[in-house]
Amino acid sequence: MRKFVMAAVGGTLASIVATTQLVGPLLAQEGSRPESVYEQLDLFGDIFERIRAQYVEEVDEKELIEAAINGMLTSLDPHSSYLAPDDAADMRVQTRGEFGGLGIEVTQEDGFVKVVSPIDGTPAMEAGIEAGDFITHVDGESVLGLTLDEAVDMMRGPVGSEIVITVVREGVEEPFDVSIIRDTIKLTAVRSRTEGETVVLRITTFNDQTFPNLADGIAKQVEEAGGIDKVNGFVVDLRNNPGGLLNQAIMVADAFLDKGEIVSTRGRDPADGDRYNAQPGDLAEGKPLVVLINGGSASASEIVAGALQDHRRAIVVGTKSFGKGSVQTVMPLRGNGAMRLTTSRYYTPSGRSIQALGVSPDIVVAQPRRDPNAEPAEEPAANPFTRSEADLRGRLDNDSLTPEEIEQIELDRAKAEAAARLREEDYQLAYAIDILKGLSALGPKN
């Protein structure tokens, strides 16, 4: 029996030797430490030559070098990366407000692709993708073990083509597939509308169009309302906004502030720090503000929310934001590529960093989750036995009100019913509007 065991072990060792070939070390002495960065670069060159000459399949030298560069950058943090010429061109187009894809901002967590936020009006949003979703497979192929860029490449494709992504969502027991048709994503950075007496400003991204869209939207809604006196306040909706350009975040915060610091940035060298201050002028003319945030609000969104919160200019409502408190600089490289490198951290006016912590709302209001498998809710049947004073025989007439006053009461009732319907569609937004109604009711009367 002892001989049999030894023979089995010997056979195992033989199989390992048969499938593993040992060659001379890349360094002259085992365990020796390179004395300078140049020796380490020589090591990189040696490894590159060995791969090019001896790898089992022929390799693309350009792709190999780009992968090495990207690996160096992505080892620093999740937001630093190398942009190949095509990716750099896509990034420049995106900051102008138009690009091709699904319409989701993603990061990587635990080896899977995590949705930071879907972008309003895009195929991903229409398909029901939510902030916090994990994408585990693309067209049946696992993304586990891929870099973020490789996973994103899998999701790219011709406009009009179909992609099936497998999603894992908190609160849903089983993974489920979502079919999405790729499209050209045209971003309207700010969508504005009026709900009752409240102007709602939905900011979807921070690109070159954000501040001009914001200023135009405010002016249009105030004019349609009949003047600023007819507006009880503004809701700045930053939910699922993944961020964007720093200068646009500063301009948006400045739109509602008359003075004071908006944000400061600090790099490795203290001399590289900058402070950005507000200029006189408030587009909302002092009207109350409510800012909506959630886990998909990141980066530039958090700069705006943090500045308005620290200055007590706005009530922040929703759930904790994403927590990206760093600034990336895009540096052009030879060959039309670019490098996205984290160069500083940013701090809110009170001096707090939200890195990995996020902006905490003043009032926590969760949005009810949608179950993708749930059937549409039916309208509850009206109770035929519900009665009021107006239904009673022989009731007294209300002769103390004019027809105009009765019409106004009915109009107010219709507005209240519309607000109730909004709670079913968007509970957080309805909550924000209710806050402004309450502030308006307590305000001075002319």
Side-chain angles (χ1 to χ4, degrees), residues 78-100:
H79 308 294
S80 296
S81 63
Y82 170 71
L83 300 173
D86 289 345
D87 295 332
D90 288 344
M91 184 272 301
R92 287 189 286 269
V93 169
Q94 182 171 346
T95 60
R96 291 196 298 268
E98 181 175 333
F99 60 97

Side-chain angles (χ1 to χ4, degrees), residues 207-274:
N207 60 30
D208 289 336
Q209 306 303 315
T210 301
F211 180 75
N213 285 175
L214 179 75
D216 291 345
I218 292 175
K220 178 183 177 183
Q221 296 303 319
V222 169
E223 181 182 2
E224 291 180 355
I228 194 69
D229 292 338
K230 302 295 185 181
V231 174
N232 67 7
F234 294 79
V235 174
V236 180
D237 188 353
L238 297 173
R239 292 174 298 174
N240 296 328
N241 183 323
L245 300 177
L246 173 64
N247 69 320
Q248 290 291 318
I250 293 168
M251 294 170 73
V252 168
D254 193 2
F256 302 106
L257 294 172
D258 274 320
K259 60 182 180 179
E261 182 180 300
I262 294 172
V263 67
S264 62
T265 61
R266 305 175 201 172
R268 183 167 65 181
D269 184 348
D272 293 336
D274 285 303

